[in-house]
Amino acid sequence: MSSTNTIKVAVIGASGYSGIELLRILLRHPNVDLTAVTSRQNAGKSLTSVLPQFAGYPGGAKALEFSSPTTEDLIASGIDVAFLALPHGVAAEYAVPLVKGGVRVIDLSADFRLNSAETYKEFYDQAHPAPELLESAVDGLPEIHASE
């Protein structure tokens, strides 16, 4: 965690529907320093040129630029939390190195929604891409899993 009350955050896959809704929340959050927004198709473009609805938002929206960094770059940047707004099956590719690098990961896909590789295979008709992380993953419903 950063030394102040501010949490350094990256949104990976920020230009899709889930990523945009997440940006809407994070840009207004007083304790979030949104340091990276990624999008392969929009890399190099400013956030507000791609998503003009954020031009009047606080949180440094006008200064943000979409990038396509490696997970190593994100870890080196000192982020505290990475939100993965990616399709299932893809999110785990990012989650594994980020978790190993000490970054807290919040995945919006289905990759860590189920805690069983067998159940994942049953529902998604493919093997889980990172079964070694399933045991430590917690479903994000704080009303049900607050102690975890």
Side-chain angles (χ1 to χ4, degrees):
M1 195 84 51
S2 297
S3 60
T4 66
N5 288 338
T6 303
I7 299 170
K8 291 178 72 174
V9 174
V11 177
I12 301 169
S15 62
Y17 179 78
S18 296
I20 292 169
E21 289 304 310
L22 186 57
L23 290 174
R24 190 179 318 282
I25 295 165
L26 295 175
L27 284 167
R28 290 186 170 161
H29 197 291
N31 299 104
V32 168
D33 177 13
L34 192 55
T35 60
V37 290
T38 78
S39 169
R40 289 181 188 149
Q41 68 189 29
N42 294 309
K45 298 176 184 173
S46 72
L47 174 69
T48 56
S49 70
V50 175
L51 302 168
Q53 66 267 36
F54 294 124
Y57 273 57
K62 287 185 180 181
L64 285 169
E65 187 176 283
F66 284 106
S67 61
S68 187
T70 65
T71 53
E72 293 82 10
D73 293 336
L74 289 168
I75 293 165
S77 74
I79 60 170
D80 300 305
V81 176
F83 285 89
L84 305 181
L86 300 164
H88 78 272
V90 176
E93 294 174 26
Y94 289 83
V96 171
L98 289 168
V99 168
K100 286 181 181 177
V103 176
R104 179 152 305 192
V105 174
I106 300 173
D107 177 28
L108 303 182
S109 81
D111 281 2
F112 300 98
R113 192 172 295 150
L114 303 170
N115 61 2
S116 161
E118 293 79 25
T119 305
Y120 182 92
K121 183 169 177 61
E122 179 183 332
F123 279 90
Y124 297 104
D125 200 30
Q126 63 187 38
H128 193 279
E132 70 276 13
L133 292 182
L134 290 177
E135 190 174 308
S136 62
V138 177
D139 187 43
L141 294 172
E143 298 84 358
I144 297 171
H145 302 287
S147 64
E148 297 171 52

